[in-house]
Every structure is written in C-alpha cells, then in structure tokens.
Amino acid sequence: MNAAQQHDDIASLEAEAAAIEAEAARAEAAQREQARLAARAWTAHKSADGQVYYHNTLTGESSWTQPEGYTGDADTVADAPVPVARALVSGTDWYEVKCTDGRRYYFNHTTEETAWSMPPEVSAVKKKQADEAAAASERARQAAAEQRALAMRQMQAAAAVGPGGAAAAMAAAGVPPEFQRGYFGQQGHDADAFRRMHMQRLMEARQQSGPSGLSRDVRVHRFKQLLLEGGVNAFSFYAKVKPKLEKDERWKLLPNDGERRAVFDEFCKNVAAEQKALAAQTEKQAVEGFKTLLEEALQLERQLYVALLADGLDRKEDAEGQETMGKLAGVLPDGPPGGTAVPDPEDVPEEALELSLEQLGKYWSNDERWEATKPEQRTALFTARFGAVVEAVAARKQARRKQLEADYRLLLQQLGVTADSSWRGGMRDAVQAAIQQYLQEQQHKQQQQSADAAATVAAALEKSIDMEVEGSEVPTSPPQQDQQQQLPPAPSQQQEQQNGTAASAAADKNDAGDKDAAASVPAAAAAALDEFDRDKLFRAYRDELAKHRDRQQASARDLQQRQQAAETRMAEQQAESDARQRRAARSDAVAGFNTLLSEIIKETNADYVLWLPKLKKDPLKRADNPLLPESEMQHLFAEHTAALARTAIAAITAVLDQHLQPLLPPPLAAAASKGDAAAAAAADAWRRAEGRDLTDTFRRFNVADELLMGTEDERWLRQPDELRLTAWRDWVDEHVWARPPNRTPAAAAPPSSSIAGSPSGRPADYSMSNRG
C-alpha cells in the first residue's frame, strides 16, 4: 500500500468519524430539544376536590406528582371548574357547558372533544343566530308603530284586569285552579299544603287507575315477587298455594287463573334462576322508579315555584308578597326567571328550587318507589341527578350569607359599635331604626315607581290620541324620488350647553342613586337577617373588637415592657461601661504611680512624707491624679518600699548563703545542704549539746559585716545597715537556731549556759551597738 492510498484511507476514516460525531451531536441536540418540549408540555390543573395534578399535552400522560423539568408555578393553579348546566348548540354535536365560576367551555358528545375556545361550527351557528336576531330587530324596528300600539293595549288591558291578572298566567303555566288567585293568601295555605295536596291527588289517581295503569311486565314481576315471598318452590302445587296467596292484592294483578297458572309453572321450573333474575329486576325497577320519582318531584317543585312567583307578583304591594319574592329571588343571582312575568314551569332553573333529599322524604317517603330503594341508593341517585345543582346552590347561599354578614358588619361599624357596646343597651334599637329607615325608603321608591308607571301609561295614552289626530294629515303616497329629503338643522351652541347640562345632571343623579343604593346595602343586609342572627353576629363582631382591643393593649404593654427592658439594659450597660472606664482609669493611675515610684524611689527605707513633694513634681502628674486618694498613694508607696526591701533581703540572703553557709559547724552545714531527716537530727543534737563551738561570725553582727565587706560583693555593700542587720539576724535564726525569723520560741531556745550573758540563747551583742 503506497502513501497516497494510506492518506486517502485516513482522510476517509476522519470524514466518517466527523460524520458520526455530527450525527451524535444532532441526536443529542434533538434529544435535548425533545426533553425541553416535553418539559414545557406539562401543565398544572386542579381536580374537583382541589388537588393539583399535571398533564402532558404531547404524550397525554397525567401524574399526581410534579414531573421533572416542570417550570410552572403550581400554587397559582385555579380551581377546577365545576359544570352546572349545559345546552346543545342546535345543528352541531357541541354542548355549551356553564361552570360555577361563570366560564363556559364546549364539549363534542360525538368525538368527546372539549375546548375553551368556541369551535368553528358553534361560531357559525352563533353568527347565523346573530344575523337572524339582527334581521328580527330590523323587522321589529319597521313594525315599531304596531308594537307600541300593541303594548298600549296590553297596558290598558292589565289596568282593566286589576290585581288578579296573574291568575291567567298561572293557569297557562299548568298550575291547578285551586292554587291560583288567592290560595296562598288564606290561612294555612302554604308550600307544604301545596305538596300534600299533590301527593293526595297522586295517590287517588293511582288507586283509581288500579292494575290497569301498570304494564304487563310490572304486573308479572310483582306476581312473581308474591310467589317468592310465599315460599313457592319447584315442588309446590298451584292448587295448594292459591288459597294462601289469593288474599294478597298482587294476586289480582293478573286477570285470570290461566295467566296466573302459566306464570306459576314458569316460576317453578327454575326457582333459583327466577329468584336471581327477580332480584336483579327488582333492583333495576326500584332504581328506575326512584329516578322517575325525582323527575316528578322536580316538576312539582317547579309548579310550586311558578305558583308562589305568580302569587308574589299578584300581591307585590303587601309585605307577604314582597317576602315571597325575596325568598324566591334569594337563590338566583339575576332574580327569578322571567323578571316580572310568570315563566313556564319548564323554564324554572333547578338551582331556584333548593332541592334536598330530606325535603323530598317529608312528602314522598310513603311512595312505593321511595320505599323500594335503600337509603344509600336514594342518596347516590339523588346526588347523581342533583348533586352539582345542590353544590352550586349551597356555594351561592354560602357566598350570599357571607356577603350579608359582611354588609351587616359594615352597618355595625357605621353605627359606631365598640367592644363595650351592648345589644340590649341601645344597639338593638339603633339597628331596628336603620332597618325601619331602609324599609321606608324602599316603600317610597316603590310608590315613586308606581307613580312613574302611571305617568308613563297616561303619557302613552295621550300620545296615542295625538297620533290618531295627526294620522288624518299623513299623505297617502310617499315622496317622489327626485324630491330632496329635508335634514333637521344642527343644534346651536346654546342647545349643546343645555344638552350637556342635562347630561351632567342625569349623571349626577345616577351617581347619587348609586351612592344611595350603596349606603342602603348594610341596612338591607340587616333586614334580610332575623333577630337571632343579628344578635349573634353583633356579639361576634363585638367579641372581635374586644379581642382586637386586647391584642392592641397587650401589644402596647409588651412594647412598653420591651422599651423599659431596653432602657434598663442600656442603663446597666452604660453603668457597666462607666465602671469599666473608671476601673481602667484607676488601673492606669495605679500603674502610672507605680511606674513613677519605680523611676524615683530606689531606697528601701524611703519616707513617704519626705518624698511626696518630689513625686508631685512629675510632669505627667502621675502623683496628682484625682482617682488616687492620699491614703492609697501612701499604701502604694509602702508596698513599693516593701517590695524593694524584699528584693534587697533576697539579695542579702543570697550573699549570706554564699559566704556564711560554708562557715557553719559541720552538722549545721550538712542540714542546710542536704535537708534530709538524718542531717536535721544531727543538727538538733548539736544545738542541744554543751560546749558546742560557734564562731563570732554567727554571734556578732560586726564580725559578720566586716567579713562580708571584705568580699566587696555589691549586693551587700549597697544595702543599708539596718536591712543588713535584719537579714543577718533572720538568716542566723533560721540556719543556726532553726527558728522562724524574728521569733525566739522558748521551747526551741538553747540552754542559757551555752551562751554567757544571753538568757534567750542569743549573744548579748546581737545588735549594731557592739559593731567595732
């Protein structure tokens, strides 16, 4: 293989390696991009019970745990919307679903697709509906004269009918005649009576219909139930069973013995299978029957709502009618359906009825469909049918209750309630006065509205008369096409100012009305609460004020205590700092004075009184410090001279050890050098012995002084005579006589005969007086 081919092979290998590296880099980059996209595809949501979960929009995966790489903030996830109502968009497969939070989304029941944004099909239908509405509006505009005339005739007819005009609307809504005009105004006639009468009618209708009102399957099913309860088995005989069972009403559900015998024989052929099928069918029929019961109850409650609404509209001028309207509108945010018109029962929303299983049980518990189901089945079926509505109503009522309580607290705040206020001591009367004022204002507004409505009717009637007069002058043919239309003149500046002033006045009036409405909200909340709730909420508000006051007082006391403690600590710290400074200053003064003494006083026998004037001349004033009193300076002076004396004595003692110890008698010298017990015993024996030999060096100071002077030792020469004498005496007492310095105990004294003329054992010239 030549060099060129090797070069080509190497280049090919390098190119392949580069391609592999590039492919690996692309794969790694693609993997990172895929991971990034997968991480960004995770979104956080909240389930119906408020728990956060995560969903990947790419893979469709969901997880309760936070996935790796999730970059969102799970704490800001909104609660999952709960659907409360839905409506099919005509002409499409899409449902428009309304949630508890007011938002709407769209669900395709065919593809099971959901979307928050409006699908194109729904948008097209909405646009078509809008176009149709616009066309209808145009048609309505063109027929305005006819509509106004029709409205005028309706108002005139309503005025002619009087307060009983709602009876026709109730009858049209399917309300029974006995529940129409005047029923709810009678004694003992209320919603409970309405429900009881309905149940009585239902039972009478079933009794009248008898078995003919039941399907054959139901009759056969109940007949088999009778056989099962009667203990019929595979070995039973029809003739023997008949006398025992024919007294039961279910025996008569089948019209003749032939049908009864056929069902009996079929049941006996396979009792076990019949029992199982019968149980399943019984449970199924019970569930279906209870579902039907719920729908009947719903229809009854809707009819009752319509009846109560019509009665409230019919008697809206009296207090009972207003109370009825308030109760009916309390559960609906926008008031009762239809506004001031009586709606059709089917148009009454379910959330307006305040349904509950307990309420239904009061009137439907004797129904066989109610008795056929178990309590847990009734609860599950009711929840499945009305659970979302009940929860929405409960949430709305709770929110309304909270709002009422908040508004009532605002009224208490406006009335100046404090922690010391009393409900019976005046606040109850103040709240009642606010409620009375609110009710009077509402009554005045209603009277004003009635007067305005009457004025509107009169003006409309007058206008219709004017229109009839002017109608005779209207030309029968339209203007020619070439005739120019006369335009109205432009308004003048004065007219513009007048219009602006009128608009401003109207705006001020609206603002004033809004302020009055806002001011009446707290009193309206108090009026909506009963006496017990007002008292209870007052006490709770007062207790909160008391707790707040107590917390403020406790905080003030705690703050005061902390301030006092801080001031005490600061004072203590300042005192301690001052004391440290004084101690440091005094320590500096003492150190300075000691330094001054060390610089000036060199003599052990220096006199304080003689040296004080010299010390006062110190330029650093170390002997003139106010922190050092005279007595303390004298004490320090004495300590300094004593220290000089101790130093001098130590030096003299060293000279005596050096020069006199070798001159001691051998026993004493041995005891001084060895220090053991034997040497000490020998020294004691020498001291007690008679005729001991002791030189004058240890007897007379002048002899010892002359000897030591001859050594020319500076440690001895520079010391004063008194100090040398004192040191020599102490040294002799310690080393010769084994006595403490300056002490001559009688028990340790040598015999008096040993030293002539010295009763104590010391020589008579044991002083400076015999110095030669």
Side-chain angles (χ1 to χ4, degrees):
M1 183 182 295
N2 54 25
Q5 187 175 359
Q6 290 180 353
H7 179 73
D8 293 338
D9 292 342
I10 293 173
S12 177
L13 292 175
E14 289 177 351
E16 291 179 0
I20 293 173
E21 290 178 357
E23 183 65 21
R26 285 193 298 271
E28 184 178 359
Q31 186 176 4
R32 287 198 302 268
E33 180 65 17
Q34 184 178 3
R36 186 181 67 83
L37 293 177
R40 291 182 58 185
W42 286 101
T43 57
H45 308 273
K46 274 189 179 179
S47 60
D49 58 355
Q51 189 175 359
V52 178
Y53 68 95
Y54 304 87
H55 175 72
N56 194 302
T57 56
L58 290 179
T59 63
E61 179 186 2
S62 295
S63 173
W64 289 107
T65 58
Q66 181 171 320
E68 183 179 1
Y70 175 71
T71 58
D73 187 3
D75 296 334
T76 60
V77 178
D79 292 334
V82 179
V84 295
R86 68 176 185 176
L88 181 65
V89 180
S90 61
T92 68
D93 294 334
W94 291 91
Y95 279 97
E96 185 176 8
V97 185
K98 182 180 179 181
C99 302
T100 53
D101 58 358
R103 293 188 296 170
R104 299 173 184 269
Y105 68 92
Y106 300 90
F107 170 71
N108 191 309
H109 65 89
T110 302
T111 63
E112 297 186 354
E113 180 183 0
T114 58
W116 285 106
S117 58
M118 185 180 297
E121 302 94 319
V122 178
S123 179
V125 172
K126 295 284 186 181
K127 185 177 182 303
K128 181 179 179 182
Q129 293 175 352
D131 294 341
E132 293 176 353
S137 177
E138 179 64 22
R139 290 192 300 270
R141 188 185 63 79
Q142 293 175 357
E146 290 81 0
Q147 290 179 353
R148 285 195 295 269
L150 178 60
M152 184 57 59
R153 289 193 296 273
Q154 289 177 347
M155 286 189 292
Q156 294 172 355
V161 171
M170 294 172 65
V175 179
E178 61 270 19
F179 296 106
Q180 295 176 12
R181 170 66 184 163
Y183 174 82
F184 293 103
Q186 302 177 25
Q187 182 68 23
H189 289 191
D190 53 9
D192 291 337
F194 185 96
R195 296 187 181 96
R196 286 194 297 269
M197 184 172 292
H198 175 85
M199 297 304 300
Q200 182 178 357
R201 284 191 165 193
L202 182 63
M203 297 300 295
E204 292 176 354
R206 288 183 178 176
Q207 291 176 359
Q208 293 176 1
S209 63
S212 59
L214 302 176
S215 64
R216 172 174 173 75
D217 293 339
V218 173
R219 287 187 276 117
V220 170
H221 173 74
R222 294 186 179 182
F223 185 79
K224 288 184 178 180
Q225 280 186 324
L226 174 62
L227 298 180
L228 180 63
E229 295 173 3
V232 174
N233 53 47
F235 304 99
S236 299
F237 293 95
Y238 180 79
K240 293 183 178 181
V241 170
K242 178 179 179 180
K244 295 189 298 182
L245 303 181
E246 63 182 356
K247 297 179 181 180
D248 194 294
E249 293 294 332
R250 290 173 289 182
W251 183 266
K252 301 176 182 179
L253 290 175
L254 298 180
N256 51 62
D257 278 349
E259 291 189 19
R260 298 189 193 104
R261 182 63 180 264
V263 174
F264 179 87
D265 293 340
E266 181 184 359
F267 182 83
C268 293
K269 288 180 181 179
N270 194 349
V271 175
E274 288 288 344
Q275 288 178 347
K276 186 176 180 180
L278 193 62
Q281 188 177 5
T282 300
E283 184 174 1
K284 180 180 179 181
Q285 288 184 357
V287 170
E288 296 298 329
F290 190 77
K291 289 181 178 180
T292 305
L293 183 148
L294 293 178
E295 297 301 328
E296 291 181 7
L298 175 62
Q299 185 63 25
L300 171 63
E301 295 300 324
R302 280 174 166 165
Q303 290 182 359
L304 175 60
Y305 186 95
V306 169
L308 290 174
L309 179 60
D311 183 72
L313 292 172
D314 201 25
R315 297 187 294 138
K316 63 182 178 180
E317 299 299 332
D318 56 34
E320 294 183 358
Q322 295 174 7
E323 182 180 0
T324 300
M325 293 296 294
K327 290 181 179 179
L328 295 178
V331 295
L332 296 177
D334 300 326
T340 58
V342 178
D344 187 88
E346 296 297 331
D347 295 334
V348 177
E350 296 177 1
E351 58 264 28
L353 304 177
E354 299 188 28
L355 298 173
S356 67
L357 189 61
E358 293 76 10
Q359 178 189 7
L360 296 182
K362 291 171 59 178
Y363 307 102
W364 296 85
S365 58
N366 293 328
D367 192 290
E368 60 183 8
R369 294 169 294 180
W370 183 282
E371 297 173 349
T373 53
K374 299 178 182 178
E376 57 271 16
Q377 287 180 322
R378 292 194 289 268
T379 302
L381 293 173
F382 180 85
T383 303
R385 178 62 180 86
F386 300 112
V389 175
V390 171
E391 290 180 0
V393 172
R396 189 177 294 114
K397 291 178 67 176
Q398 184 179 7
R400 175 173 170 78
R401 175 70 181 187
K402 289 183 178 179
Q403 186 61 45
L404 285 176
E405 293 179 359
D407 294 339
Y408 180 64
R409 289 166 64 92
L410 180 59
L411 175 63
L412 297 178
Q413 182 180 358
Q414 293 174 354
L415 295 177
V417 175
T418 64
D420 300 323
S421 299
S422 173
W423 179 250
R424 300 293 179 182
M427 295 313 305
R428 176 187 178 187
D429 296 338
V431 173
Q432 290 288 356
I435 295 175
Q436 189 64 27
Q437 182 181 358
Y438 165 73
L439 295 178
Q440 292 176 356
E441 292 176 354
Q442 294 300 312
Q443 185 177 3
H444 176 71
K445 289 181 180 179
Q446 291 176 359
Q447 294 174 355
Q448 186 65 35
Q449 290 174 357
S450 300
D452 294 342
T456 302
V457 172
L461 290 174
E462 183 178 358
K463 184 176 180 181
S464 64
I465 295 173
D466 295 339
M467 290 174 62
E468 292 176 359
V469 173
E470 294 175 357
S472 60
E473 300 177 357
V474 176
T476 57
S477 61
Q480 299 296 327
Q481 294 182 359
D482 57 348
Q483 186 178 4
Q484 293 185 357
Q485 183 179 5
Q486 297 295 328
L487 298 176
S492 63
Q493 184 176 2
Q494 182 179 3
Q495 290 176 340
E496 291 181 357
Q497 292 178 354
Q498 293 176 354
N499 294 338
T501 303
S504 177
D508 293 340
K509 184 177 180 180
N510 292 334
D511 293 340
D514 295 340
K515 292 180 180 178
D516 293 340
S520 64
V521 167
L529 298 171
D530 56 22
E531 179 71 14
F532 176 78
D533 287 339
R534 289 196 291 265
D535 185 7
K536 180 180 177 181
L537 293 174
F538 166 80
R539 297 179 187 276
Y541 179 69
R542 184 191 59 187
D543 293 343
E544 289 182 10
L545 293 178
K547 291 180 180 179
H548 181 67
R549 179 194 60 188
D550 295 341
R551 286 195 297 268
Q552 286 184 334
Q553 293 176 353
S555 299
R557 289 194 300 269
D558 184 59
L559 178 61
Q560 184 179 4
Q561 292 175 359
R562 290 199 302 269
Q563 290 177 348
Q564 292 177 353
E567 292 174 356
T568 302
R569 287 195 301 271
M570 291 180 62
E572 292 176 352
Q573 293 173 359
Q574 185 63 36
E576 184 179 356
S577 177
D578 294 342
R580 285 198 301 268
Q581 291 178 359
R582 288 194 298 272
R583 288 195 298 269
R586 185 183 177 281
S587 178
D588 293 341
V590 171
F593 188 72
N594 284 330
T595 303
L596 177 62
L597 294 177
S598 299
E599 293 174 356
I600 297 178
I601 306 302
K602 305 295 185 181
E603 300 176 0
T604 59
N605 57 350
D607 185 78
Y608 173 75
V609 177
L610 297 177
W611 279 96
L612 184 59
K614 297 180 181 179
L615 296 174
K616 292 285 187 178
K617 295 179 180 180
D618 179 36
L620 300 178
K621 301 297 182 180
R622 287 174 289 182
D624 197 12
N625 195 316
L627 297 177
L628 288 178
E630 184 74 17
S631 59
E632 190 169 0
M633 288 194 299
Q634 189 173 0
H635 177 70
L636 293 174
F637 188 90
E639 286 185 351
H640 177 71
T641 55
L644 291 176
R646 288 192 297 273
T647 303
I649 288 175
I652 295 173
T653 301
V655 174
L656 296 176
D657 289 341
Q658 179 181 356
H659 296 287
L660 296 187
Q661 187 171 346
L663 302 179
L664 289 171
L668 299 180
S673 60
K674 295 180 180 180
D676 54 6
D684 290 340
W686 179 87
R687 293 186 185 96
R688 289 191 297 271
E690 296 184 0
R692 54 185 177 273
D693 185 16
L694 187 63
T695 63
D696 290 341
T697 305
F698 303 105
R699 292 175 177 272
R700 294 179 175 81
F701 173 71
N702 56 348
V703 177
D705 182 57
E706 184 177 357
L707 175 64
L708 294 173
M709 285 290 186
T711 61
E712 298 183 354
D713 194 324
E714 290 294 331
R715 293 175 295 176
W716 181 267
L717 296 177
R718 64 169 175 258
Q719 305 301 334
D721 293 342
E722 294 81 0
L723 193 60
R724 293 202 301 269
L725 175 60
T726 301
W728 176 78
R729 284 178 177 174
D730 291 342
W731 193 90
V732 170
D733 285 341
E734 180 181 358
H735 291 81
V736 175
W737 308 116
R739 290 193 293 265
N742 296 325
R743 290 173 56 188
T744 310
S752 58
S753 59
S754 61
I755 301 178
S758 178
S760 62
R762 285 179 175 176
D765 55 354
Y766 203 66
S767 66
M768 289 289 295
S769 59
N770 293 325
R771 183 178 178 186

